[in-house]
């Protein structure tokens, strides 16, 4: 994951400086209508649908938090989640606003920054200029009429074509070179971007000629490459893409993501289609959560990008591509990123573009609604060509399916698939289960003959005399949770308190989710810890959800409360051990000895609680 280096690393320090100069209210206001609410601001959350504002921004702490969906963090986290970008890109965007882009680039790229970053920036600028020039050729040149007619025949509205910045590359071999290649350095940048091709003999020519052009943008909306569609039957290949460059890597770019991100966040779903025209059609028909790969299979980078925006991905395959191994590997990459992956198969002879144009949006919505889970889809593909008419054919089909079934994490889903396969192959479900259990034991390293051993339950042993009443501690878990949050909030609001807690408490004294890491980071690094996006998100939720007044004078009582809670957890653990010993097999003498040791430990903890005044 693209994360900030912790501690006082150069990147951490420069990120802290950028964050301190930025105004989170100003940046968030570009995307959310905020209104004052006391010392904070409120608005409708951009990360989920709501009618009553539950999204808060604190200018004092430079944090945001949504009570509806739990999203929270600092200005970097906000942009990362909103625009589906990594920390580095978010840092650069904020740095550009506060005039620190050069400092950030220098830290990111070290000694190579000056030249490397300049080349990247100039490549992007040049391709933005190329996109504008291509757009003018499409809409305002006589030669562009061929491309305009093509768009009309394909039913692409001018509004959508202009929103996606479509263009046209003239037939002439040197049109773009003449328009932009005014210096030797610019020609070299055009070559690096793949916009012109240079032969071994030194002759140059435009890569894209006589083609409809689809500018490919990164998550920030900056043009980093192009896809070109042939307009005549004798043109090969049908689609021609920019080669990879310092700013364009196909494994990290999804066509249309910059425009689809708001709809993806709102709906909690992204639809991956196969082509540029499919994306245009989906957006034109109101299904704006659609993106496409740029001539490559889905990758782990794609999965991580999408996981920042939505929990679910629906991959829409044409019927003739659904079973291709590359497509299936792409599904595995998405699943590995923690996404809920579903598969929708477009009925033949259609692709998404033709289905929408011929049958309308309802037909596509039905296809998406009928999408299947990735495991169900994988099973269906594996069963194609199976021979259920012979024992050997059934055995071969089951053997092919076992790795898929074994990978299903849900026992309920796995059993449903076993039942479906059994019905399809006309064999008993228990036969598949037996082979599946053997395969799963083998995967765990137990071997095909591994067996589980069950031990008997020993007789009970009465240790009631060891355990005293603890009625005053029954509410300790709830109290401890409140104390943990309030102490963390105090450290967030008043970082100078941190040094007073060194050696008195550690992260191990905190039980709330993520609290241990946040406490240790705040004590060691103070406010600089909040440059970490995950810690900032947690800090934002803590600050926003507390309605209590800050009580610096309560530090000692917080420390004592957490110590008491720690001792109570230790008592509970000893009690569990005592219960386990009473039930275990073995000689009575051995069990009595163990119980005696536990009783001593229990008494020691109990005495510590008494000394703390908790009893």
């Amino acid at each position: 994951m693209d994360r900030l280096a912790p501690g006082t690393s150069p990147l951490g320090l420069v990120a802290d400086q950028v964050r301190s100069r930025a105004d989170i209210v100003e940046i968030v206001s570009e995307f959310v209508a905020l209104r004052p609410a006391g010392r904070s601001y409120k608005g409708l959350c951009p990360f989920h649908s709501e009618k009553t504002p539950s999204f808060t921004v604190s200018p004092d702490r430079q944090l945001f938090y949504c009570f509806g969906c739990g999203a929270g963090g600092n200005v970097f986290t906000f942009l990362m989640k909103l625009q589906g970008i990594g920390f580095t890109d978010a840092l650069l965007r904020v740095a550009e606003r506060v005039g620190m882009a050069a400092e950030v680039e220098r830290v990111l790229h070290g000694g190579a920054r000056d030249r490397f970053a300049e080349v990247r920036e100039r490549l992007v600028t040049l391709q933005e200029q190329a996109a504008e020039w291509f757009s003018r050729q499409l809409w305002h040149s006589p030669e562009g009429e061929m491309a305009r007619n093509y768009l009309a025949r394909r039913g692409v509205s001018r509004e959508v074509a202009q929103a996606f910045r479509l263009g046209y590359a003239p037939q002439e071999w040197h049109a773009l070179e003449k328009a932009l290649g005014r210096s030797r350095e610019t020609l070299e940048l055009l070559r690096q971007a793949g916009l012109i091709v240079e032969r071994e003999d030194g002759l140059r020519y435009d890569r894209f000629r006589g083609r409809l052009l689809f500018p490919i943008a990164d998550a920030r909306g900056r043009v980093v490459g192009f896809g070109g569609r042939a307009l005549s039957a004798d043109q090969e290949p049908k689609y021609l893409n920019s080669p990879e460059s310092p700013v364009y890597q196909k494994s990290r770019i999804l066509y249309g993501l910059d425009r689809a991100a708001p709809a993806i966040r709102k709906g909690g779903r992204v639809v991956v289609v196969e082509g540029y025209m499919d994306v245009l059609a989906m957006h034109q028909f109101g299904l704006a959560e659609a993106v496409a790969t740029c001539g490559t299979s889905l990758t782990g980078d794609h999965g991580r990008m999408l996981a920042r925006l939505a929990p679910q991905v629906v991959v829409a395959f044409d019927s003739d591509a659904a079973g291709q191994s590359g497509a299936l590997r792409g599904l595995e990459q998405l699943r590995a990123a923690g996404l809920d992956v579903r598969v929708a198969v477009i009925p033949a002879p259609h692709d998404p573009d033709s289905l929408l144009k011929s049958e309308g949006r309802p037909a596509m919505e039905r296809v998406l609604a009928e999408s299947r889970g990735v495991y169900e889809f994988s099973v269906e593909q594996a069963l194609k060509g199976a021979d259920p008419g012979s024992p050997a054919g059934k055995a071969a089909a089951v053997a092919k399916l076992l790795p898929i079934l074994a990978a299903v994490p849900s026992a309920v889903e796995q059993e449903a698939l076993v039942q479906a396969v059994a019905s399809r192959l006309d064999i008993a479900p228990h036969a598949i289960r037996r082979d599946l259990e053997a395969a799963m034991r083998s995967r765990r390293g137990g071997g095909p003959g591994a067996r589980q051993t069950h031990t008997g339950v020993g007789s009970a042993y009465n240790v009631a005399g060891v355990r005293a009443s603890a009625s005053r501690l029954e509410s300790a878990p709830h109290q401890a949770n409140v104390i943990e949050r309030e102490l963390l909030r105090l450290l967030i609001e008043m970082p100078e308190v941190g040094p007073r807690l060194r050696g008195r408490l550690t992260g191990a004294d905190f039980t709330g989710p993520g609290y241990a890491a946040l406490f240790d980071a705040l004590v060691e690094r103070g406010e600089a810890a909040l440059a970490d996006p995950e810690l900032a998100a947690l800090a934002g939720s803590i600050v926003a959800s507390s309605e209590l007044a800050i009580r610096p004078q309560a530090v000692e009582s917080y420390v004592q409360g957490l110590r008491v809670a720690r001792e109570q957890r230790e008592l509970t653990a000893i009690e569990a051990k005592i219960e386990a010993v009473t039930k275990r097999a073995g000689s009575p003498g051995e069990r009595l000895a163990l119980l005696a040791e536990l009783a001593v430990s229990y008494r020691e903890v109990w005495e510590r609680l008494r000394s703390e005044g908790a009893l």
Side-chain angles (χ1 to χ4, degrees):
M1 189 172 84
D2 190 7
R3 291 186 57 185
L4 177 65
T8 56
S9 68
L11 183 58
L13 291 173
V14 75
D16 226 19
Q17 294 170 13
V18 171
R19 189 171 62 88
S20 66
R21 291 192 189 183
D23 181 356
I24 191 172
V25 175
E26 179 183 336
I27 292 175
V28 171
S29 294
E30 294 183 5
F31 307 94
V32 180
L34 297 176
R35 57 178 177 79
R39 296 176 61 185
S40 299
Y41 291 81
K42 296 189 73 173
L44 295 174
C45 180
F47 304 120
H48 78 286
S49 297
E50 63 177 6
K51 296 182 179 179
T52 303
S54 60
F55 181 83
T56 64
V57 181
S58 168
D60 295 338
R61 301 310 307 156
Q62 290 292 295
L63 297 170
F64 75 92
Y65 183 71
C66 176
F67 290 94
C69 66
N74 58 21
V75 64
F76 303 132
T77 320
F78 177 80
L79 291 176
M80 289 167 66
K81 187 172 179 63
L82 186 73
Q83 299 179 333
I85 57 178
F87 174 76
T88 301
D89 281 336
L91 174 60
L92 282 168
R93 293 192 190 190
V94 180
E96 289 169 358
R97 295 179 62 98
V98 301
M100 289 188 63
E103 290 91 332
V104 172
E105 288 278 12
R106 189 173 296 113
V107 171
L108 287 173
H109 302 298
R113 181 269 159 198
D114 291 334
R115 179 59 184 156
F116 180 74
E118 182 183 352
V119 168
R120 287 173 54 90
E121 290 167 5
R122 293 197 64 188
L123 280 171
V124 170
T125 300
L126 189 65
Q127 294 193 95
E128 284 283 341
Q129 294 171 353
E132 293 175 4
W133 187 80
F134 287 135
S135 177
R136 289 196 297 272
Q137 307 315 303
L138 172 62
W139 300 112
H140 303 297
S141 74
E143 189 179 339
E145 184 178 5
M146 179 168 58
R148 295 193 295 271
N149 290 340
Y150 174 82
L151 291 173
R153 289 197 305 274
R154 295 295 299 266
V156 178
S157 70
R158 181 160 182 154
E159 179 185 5
V160 167
Q162 291 183 329
F164 281 83
R165 304 175 67 180
L166 268 55
Y168 172 72
Q171 295 274 9
E172 185 185 341
W173 284 77
H174 304 285
L176 181 66
E177 179 184 342
K178 291 176 181 177
L180 301 182
R182 291 177 289 273
S183 68
R184 181 175 299 177
E185 189 174 6
T186 302
L187 286 172
E188 173 57 22
L189 288 170
L190 287 169
R191 187 194 65 78
Q192 287 190 43
L195 288 170
I196 65 173
V197 178
E198 186 171 351
R199 300 191 324 191
E200 291 183 2
D201 59 8
L203 292 177
R204 298 184 301 268
Y205 57 90
D206 293 354
R207 178 180 298 274
F208 300 106
R209 304 179 311 281
R211 289 178 179 269
L212 176 68
L213 290 189
F214 302 83
I216 299 168
D218 63 11
R220 297 165 65 176
R222 306 176 308 168
V223 177
V224 294
F226 293 88
R229 208 284 184 194
L231 294 175
S232 59
D234 58 348
Q235 253 182 319
E236 292 292 340
K238 182 178 178 181
Y239 278 97
L240 179 66
N241 292 320
S242 293
E244 296 203 338
S245 73
V247 295
Y248 176 51
Q249 294 86 42
K250 297 177 184 178
S251 65
R252 303 183 65 182
I253 294 287
L254 288 167
Y255 179 71
L257 183 60
D258 59 313
R259 299 199 58 81
I264 293 171
R265 286 191 302 271
K266 184 176 181 180
R269 178 186 77 175
V270 57
V271 178
V272 180
V273 294
E274 293 188 61
Y276 304 135
M277 294 298 293
D278 293 332
V279 172
L280 298 186
M282 293 283 283
H283 282 249
Q284 183 167 317
F285 279 79
L287 298 168
E289 67 269 34
V291 300
T293 59
C294 299
T296 184
S297 298
L298 288 159
T299 67
D301 283 328
H302 290 144
R304 286 183 286 274
M305 288 167 57
L306 296 176
R308 298 188 188 114
L309 293 172
Q312 186 182 86
V313 174
V314 179
V315 181
F317 285 127
D318 297 350
S319 59
D320 59 350
Q324 294 178 5
S325 59
L328 296 177
R329 283 195 300 273
L331 299 181
E332 294 171 5
Q333 296 281 356
L334 296 181
R335 193 174 65 224
L339 289 158
D340 170 22
V341 184
R342 302 189 64 80
V343 179
V345 178
I346 309 298
H350 291 295
D351 55 27
D353 176 50
S354 64
L355 181 64
L356 284 163
K357 303 287 175 57
S358 63
E359 300 184 27
R361 175 172 172 168
M364 176 58 71
E365 288 181 332
R366 282 195 300 273
V367 169
L368 296 177
E370 293 168 2
S371 63
R372 291 169 288 171
V374 65
Y375 295 108
E376 182 182 355
F377 173 76
S378 298
V379 165
E380 188 66 29
Q381 293 300 310
L383 283 172
K384 285 186 175 179
D387 176 21
S390 68
K394 293 179 181 182
V398 171
K400 189 176 179 181
L401 287 165
L402 289 179
I404 300 171
L405 296 172
V408 180
S410 166
V412 173
E413 186 177 3
Q414 186 185 76
E415 177 60 23
L417 290 172
V418 167
Q419 295 282 353
V421 171
S423 174
R424 178 80 170 268
L425 297 178
D426 193 24
I427 54 179
H430 69 82
I432 299 176
R433 290 193 208 99
R434 188 165 59 241
D435 284 355
L436 179 59
E437 289 166 4
M440 294 177 72
R441 281 197 302 271
S442 179
R443 286 180 61 182
R444 291 193 297 264
R451 286 180 171 270
Q452 293 189 5
T453 303
H454 301 278
T455 56
V457 178
S459 59
Y461 178 73
N462 186 358
V463 291
V466 177
R467 187 173 179 185
S469 170
S471 59
R472 291 180 61 186
L473 296 175
E474 287 180 355
S475 62
H478 172 71
Q479 293 172 349
N481 188 264
V482 173
I483 292 171
E484 289 177 18
R485 291 184 68 87
E486 289 308 309
L487 180 55
L488 287 171
R489 179 176 171 233
L490 182 59
L491 285 172
I492 295 165
E493 300 278 2
M494 301 179 65
E496 63 272 17
V497 173
R500 294 168 50 188
L501 301 178
R502 286 197 183 101
R504 304 182 66 193
L505 293 173
T506 69
D509 293 309
F510 291 75
T511 60
Y515 288 6
L518 180 58
F519 175 81
D520 286 339
L522 288 169
V523 169
E524 291 302 317
R525 310 203 303 272
E527 192 173 10
L530 299 184
D532 183 300
E534 291 184 3
L535 296 181
L538 180 56
S541 71
I542 290 172
V543 170
S545 61
S546 178
E547 298 180 357
L548 302 176
I550 299 174
R551 299 174 58 215
Q553 69 276 14
V555 170
E556 294 305 318
S557 63
Y558 290 159
V559 171
Q560 184 185 25
L562 292 184
R563 284 177 173 172
V564 169
R566 178 180 59 199
E567 304 290 2
Q568 173 63 9
R569 290 196 298 273
E570 192 170 345
L571 279 185
T572 302
I574 295 172
E575 291 167 2
K577 291 180 181 178
I578 290 173
E579 184 177 359
V581 170
T582 64
K583 295 180 178 179
R584 67 181 292 179
S587 66
E590 181 184 356
R591 279 184 286 146
L592 284 170
L594 290 172
L595 288 169
E597 291 179 14
L598 291 170
V600 171
S601 299
Y602 197 97
R603 176 60 62 184
E604 290 174 351
V605 177
W606 190 260
E607 291 298 332
R608 289 201 297 271
L609 279 169
R610 291 186 63 182
S611 69
E612 294 277 1
L615 298 173

